[in-house]
Amino acid sequence: MALIAIQRKTAHNNRIPGPAGASGAPAGATDQLAISEKAATHILELGHRETGSNALLRIAIEGGGCGGFRTRFRWESTSNPNDTVFTRGDARVCIDAKSLRVLQGSTLHWREELGRSGFHIATGQKSSSCSCGQSFSLL
């Protein structure tokens, strides 16, 4: 699975720079998010179905749940100036700076299990999840 390019928007520059490193991520970057091929396919399909266009998938980490943190996914048409936008092909994911600190080094997957399917994040940091699978804590 290849890492995808990290693209940043800044308040001073609305252009998103391209990848600098051979791996698809800027050289020396530590705030990477990998997107699996299956997740990218579902971002494109579901984003178009939900919004009628190539929407961004926003990932946000919020306090709450029995584990302390929970992950929220929602569709948006644009990113905010301080978001980091990750891409794999035409699939786009945006993450705010606070959530990115928790998600750095993680991989976004599409998981299909008996009775449910959806996006799943394999966190790059040591964590534990609760029995319901809806929240997690950092170790």
Side-chain angles (χ1 to χ4, degrees):
M1 174 181 325
L3 288 177
I4 47 89
I6 296 177
Q7 301 179 334
R8 295 192 183 281
K9 282 187 176 181
T10 64
H12 305 301
N13 180 5
N14 286 332
R15 292 202 69 225
I16 300 174
S23 68
T30 59
D31 52 352
Q32 300 172 355
L33 174 79
I35 301 173
S36 72
E37 185 175 337
K38 203 171 200 180
T41 299
H42 281 86
I43 289 169
L44 292 173
E45 288 176 7
L46 296 173
H48 185 72
R49 189 180 309 158
E50 291 291 320
T51 66
S53 66
N54 186 12
L56 287 120
L57 177 64
R58 174 169 296 282
I59 303 174
I61 301 299
E62 302 173 346
C66 50
F69 295 103
R70 62 181 169 210
T71 308
R72 293 286 183 217
F73 300 97
R74 69 177 180 264
W75 298 106
E76 295 194 358
S77 57
T78 60
S79 61
N80 297 323
N82 294 323
D83 286 341
T84 301
V85 177
F86 298 90
T87 63
R88 178 163 182 162
D90 290 335
R92 300 178 300 154
V93 174
C94 63
I95 304 174
D96 63 273
K98 188 176 177 182
S99 297
L100 186 57
R101 284 192 293 271
V102 175
L103 293 172
Q104 63 187 1
S106 298
T107 302
L108 177 65
H109 295 281
W110 178 263
R111 188 189 302 183
E112 294 179 10
E113 298 175 345
L114 185 62
R116 68 178 177 176
S117 61
F119 293 106
H120 169 75
I121 296 179
T123 182
Q125 300 184 38
K126 289 188 177 184
S127 66
S128 64
S129 60
C130 64
S131 60
C132 71
Q134 300 298 314
S135 65
F136 65 97
S137 63
L138 297 176
L139 302 177

